C-alpha cells in the first residue's frame, strides 16, 4: 500500500510569516528519504498554503515518486494541471471558509463540471481521482463520469469513536469493495493518524493512503529537541 505525503501544512507554517522557510519542497525531499511513495500538494484557489511556485518547484524535483495535485475542478486549476503535468490529479470540493476539505465531492450537483475536468486532464494522459464520501452511489457515479481512481474520504471514520467508528469503518470498507469490483483504483485519506491508520491499512483493495496533517504534526515533535539544542549551542558560542 502506497503512502502519499501531503506537505501543505509545511507551507501553512511558512505563510504564517510570508517567509521562505519551512520550504515544502525540502519537506517533500525529506519525506521521500523517509520512504514516501508520493507527494501531494493542494493548490487552493485562495493560495493559503501552497503557492504556484511551490508546485512548479516540486514538479521539477519530484521525479522518482508520484506527484499528486489536489485541486478544485475549475478552469483555472485545469489549466495549471495541464501545464505542470503532475502524475495524477485529485479533484476535491473547495469552500473558501473551510479549514480543510470537509466532505467528498457532490457528484450529483457538480457532475457536469467534474466530467469536463476529468476529460480534459485524462485526455492528456494524467489519471484523475475523485475525492468522495464512502458511499456506493458516489463510487458508481465516479465510474460513470470516467474517472480512473477514487479516494474514499476517511474523515468521519477518523473523527468517530467507539461503536460509531466501527460503523464508519464498515462504510469505508463497503465503498472500497464496490470501487474495486467495478474496476476503479481506490485510495483513501483524510484525518488518518498514528492511532487510526492500521484499520484502514488492513483493507487490502486500497492502493494508497494520502496523509498530511498528522505527519507534519509529528515532524514538529520529533524535530523540536534537536532544533532547540542547536540554537542553544549557537547562543552559548556567541555569548562566550
Ligand atoms: N486527501 C484529501 C483529498 C485531502 O483534501 C486531504 C487534506 O488536504 C488529505 C487527503 C489529507 O488529510 P490530512 O491532512 O487530514 O491527513
Amino acid at each position: 500500500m502506497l503512502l502519499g505525503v501531503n506537505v501543505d501544512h509545511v507551507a501553512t507554517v511558512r505563510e504564517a510569516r510570508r517567509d521562505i522557510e519551512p520550504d515544502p519542497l525540502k519537506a517533500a525531499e525529506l519525506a521521500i528519504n523517509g520512504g514516501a511513495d508520493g507527494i501531494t500538494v493542494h493548490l487552493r484557489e485562495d493560495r493559503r498554503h501552497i503557492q504556484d511556485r511551490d508546485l512548479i518547484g516540486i514538479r521539477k524535483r519530484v521525479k522518482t515518486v508520484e506527484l499528486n495535485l489536489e485541486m478544485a475542478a475549475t478552469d483555472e486549476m485545469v489549466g495549471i494541471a495541464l501545464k505542470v503535468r503532475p502524475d495524477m490529479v485529485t479533484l476535491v470540493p473547495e469552500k473558501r471558509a473551510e479549514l480543510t476539505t470537509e466532505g467528498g465531492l457532490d457528484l450529483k450537483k457538480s457532475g457536469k463540471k467534474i466530467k469536463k475536468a476529468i476529460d480534459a486532464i485524462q485526455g492528456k494522459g494524467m489519471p484523475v481521482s475523485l475525492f468522495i464520501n464512502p458511499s456506493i452511489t458516489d463510487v458508481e457515479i465516479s465510474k460513470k463520469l470516467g474517472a480512473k481512481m477514487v479516494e474514499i474520504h476517511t474523515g468521519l471514520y477518523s473523527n468517530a469513536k467507539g461503536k460509531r467508528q466501527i460503523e464508519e469503518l464498515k462504510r469505508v470498507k463497503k465503498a472500497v469493495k464496490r470501487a474495486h469490483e467495478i474496476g476503479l483504483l481506490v485510495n483513501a485519506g483524510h484525518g488518518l493518524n498514528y492511532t487510526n491508520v492500521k484499520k484502514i491499512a488492513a483493507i487490502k483493495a486500497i492502493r494508497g493512503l494520502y496523509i498530511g496533517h498528522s505527519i507534519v504534526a509529528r515532524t514538529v515533535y520529533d524535530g523540536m529537541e534537536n532544533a532547540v539544542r542547536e540554537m542553544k549551542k549557537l547562543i552559548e558560542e556567541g555569548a562566550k
Side-chain angles (χ1 to χ4, degrees):
M1 191 173 290
L2 308 175
L3 169 62
V5 176
N6 181 317
V7 294
D8 291 351
H9 294 309
V10 176
T12 302
V13 176
R14 180 193 61 196
E15 292 305 304
R17 294 288 286 265
R18 303 267 191 280
D19 204 332
I20 56 166
E21 63 176 13
D23 181 357
L25 167 58
K26 192 160 179 188
E29 289 174 336
L30 293 169
I32 294 165
N33 290 348
D37 305 294
I39 296 297
T40 298
V41 292
H42 183 175
L43 186 67
R44 295 187 77 104
E45 290 180 277
D46 63 9
R47 308 300 198 269
R48 70 172 73 153
H49 38 52
I50 293 294
Q51 306 297 309
D52 298 61
R53 67 175 190 281
D54 295 322
L55 172 63
I56 293 164
I58 289 174
R59 172 65 296 179
K60 273 195 192 134
R61 298 282 288 276
V62 172
K63 296 285 185 194
T64 55
V65 302
E66 175 186 273
L67 174 60
N68 172 30
L69 172 61
E70 255 183 52
M71 54 177 237
T74 63
D75 290 345
E76 183 206 8
M77 288 299 156
V78 170
I80 291 171
L82 297 183
K83 219 190 272 164
V84 176
R85 297 200 59 86
D87 301 301
M88 63 179 275
V89 169
T90 301
L91 296 178
V92 297
E94 214 175 279
K95 291 190 216 113
R96 281 187 181 251
E98 70 190 358
L99 292 178
T100 182
T101 322
E102 284 166 355
L105 289 161
D106 186 340
L107 299 179
K108 283 185 189 136
K109 198 171 121 202
S110 313
K112 233 175 160 183
K113 194 173 75 171
I114 290 165
K115 169 112 185 84
K116 192 174 153 215
I118 293 172
D119 290 348
I121 297 164
Q122 290 193 164
K124 295 289 178 190
M126 290 166 271
V128 171
S129 178
L130 301 184
F131 186 51
I132 56 170
N133 292 320
S135 128
I136 302 284
T137 310
D138 286 356
V139 165
E140 289 173 350
I141 300 176
S142 301
K143 178 75 178 173
K144 279 196 197 117
L145 292 175
K148 290 212 160 65
M149 288 190 220
V150 287
E151 180 180 337
I152 305 296
H153 195 321
T154 50
L156 287 176
Y157 157 79
S158 297
N159 292 331
K161 301 243 175 322
K163 237 173 101 184
R164 184 98 200 97
Q165 191 173 47
I166 296 167
E167 279 163 26
E168 291 299 338
L169 181 62
K170 274 191 203 149
R171 286 182 69 206
V172 171
K173 282 183 179 169
K174 274 189 193 160
V176 169
K177 183 168 178 275
R178 184 68 188 136
H180 188 64
E181 268 168 14
I182 60 177
L184 288 163
L185 292 171
V186 47
N187 302 308
H190 211 284
L192 296 176
N193 61 33
Y194 294 84
T195 57
N196 64 24
V197 73
K198 277 190 169 178
K199 288 199 170 82
I200 298 292
I203 308 171
K204 296 279 179 280
I206 294 180
R207 167 188 170 273
L209 299 179
Y210 291 84
I211 307 180
H213 189 266
S214 65
I215 292 177
V216 174
R218 174 62 67 96
T219 305
V220 173
Y221 295 143
D222 283 358
M224 189 59 88
E225 278 189 35
N226 273 339
V228 170
R229 207 168 283 126
E230 204 179 311
M231 185 59 83
K232 277 287 273 193
K233 188 165 164 274
L234 291 172
I235 291 170
E236 278 159 16
E237 282 170 12
K240 254 187 205 159

